[in-house]
Amino acid sequence: MRKNTLWYIPGAFFLLACVLNWIGCIQGTDLADAVKPALLPLLCATSLAYLLGRDGVDFRAAGLLVAAQLFGCAGDVLLMPSSDVLFLIGMTAFLVGHLFYIRLFGGRSWKGLKPGPWAISAVIMLALVLGLVKAIGIEGAMFWPMTVYGCVLMLLIFSALAGVLRMPRGRRATWWILLAGALLFTFSDACIAMGIFGVMTFALRHFVVMFTYLAAQSLLAVGGVRLILGR
């Protein structure tokens, strides 16, 4: 089969949109928000174009990847206005996107795991999330929504970590990619939370948030495509 290079086109536009977004973040201009709604659709188009015409495509898994990316796009758009209601809705959109990612690769990495490791993992995840929420200083009406969201993020990390630990050595590269994506996503969201709740601000925080966020989405896309192709 002839090598598919169609994905280069949306991939190039995605990279260009990323660079423009980062420039806007650094300069503090509206350019960042202007290109933000196009980022995840372009990444989604790149993923689908890469899969087009290839052998062994798991179409059900591809649907999960597309759903995760489109909910990420919805979260991007909803978080742009400064509104508490839209913030919660946008956070929910990202949470649903994470659940699709977890279903895509967590369903494979956790399969066959006995109740004992599940229980231990759940306790560790909850302790880590509560410790982070407390350290950031989240309280009041936002405590439980952020705790639930944090637990889902932690499950994303543990799902990828389970693949690293449990998969055959020759197939661990995909799971390392997914783990790196999950960790960067968590770091990006932690920076957002620290800025919102006033724990810590630093120069170029918006750039750091978007750089790590887009890197995370890109790694999850690469790892997801590899899983879809059975790698």
Side-chain angles (χ1 to χ4, degrees):
M1 183 178 65
R2 189 176 179 180
K3 185 178 179 181
N4 172 18
T5 58
L6 182 64
W7 66 276
Y8 290 175
I9 299 173
F13 279 105
F14 171 68
L15 182 59
L16 175 61
C18 289
V19 172
L20 290 174
N21 178 269
W22 296 333
I23 292 173
C25 291
I26 293 171
Q27 295 178 340
T29 64
D30 292 336
L31 179 61
D33 286 342
V35 300
K36 194 175 182 181
L39 292 168
L40 268 294
L42 285 171
L43 180 60
C44 183
T46 304
S47 303
L48 290 176
Y50 185 88
L51 294 170
L52 187 65
R54 295 184 184 271
D55 297 325
V57 175
D58 183 343
F59 290 101
R60 179 175 173 277
L64 293 173
L65 178 61
V66 169
Q69 291 171 337
L70 292 182
F71 271 98
C73 175
D76 283 341
V77 173
L78 289 165
L79 290 180
M80 286 170 62
S82 180
S83 164
D84 290 343
V85 174
L86 289 179
F87 175 79
L88 286 172
I89 298 174
M91 189 175 69
T92 302
F94 275 117
L95 185 149
V96 174
H98 295 330
L99 292 177
F100 279 111
Y101 278 131
I102 290 167
R103 185 67 188 90
L104 171 61
F105 57 88
R108 306 177 190 218
S109 62
W110 290 99
K111 189 175 181 180
L113 197 64
K114 296 181 179 180
W118 263 109
I120 294 172
S121 299
V123 171
I124 293 174
M125 284 188 288
L126 183 59
L128 288 173
V129 170
L130 289 175
L132 184 59
V133 169
K134 186 175 180 61
I136 293 175
I138 302 172
E139 53 188 21
M142 292 300 296
F143 177 82
W144 286 112
M146 294 301 289
T147 299
V148 171
Y149 181 79
C151 287
V152 173
L153 264 180
M154 203 58 60
L155 183 58
L156 187 70
I157 293 173
F158 271 64
S159 296
L161 181 59
V164 170
L165 297 176
R166 303 182 71 222
M167 293 298 163
R169 187 178 298 274
R171 298 188 62 189
R172 288 180 186 170
T174 296
W175 295 96
W176 278 112
I177 292 169
L178 292 169
L179 179 59
L183 289 170
L184 280 175
F185 214 125
T186 303
F187 176 82
S188 178
D189 281 349
C191 288
I192 293 174
M194 286 187 291
I196 291 174
F197 297 99
V199 174
M200 182 177 69
T201 58
F202 52 90
L204 299 179
R205 183 179 68 87
H206 192 30
F207 167 74
V208 172
V209 166
M210 288 306 300
F211 184 87
T212 53
Y213 166 69
L214 291 171
Q217 289 282 20
S218 299
L219 288 168
L220 290 173
V222 171
V225 165
R226 288 174 64 91
L227 279 184
I228 291 165
L229 294 175
R231 297 176 185 173

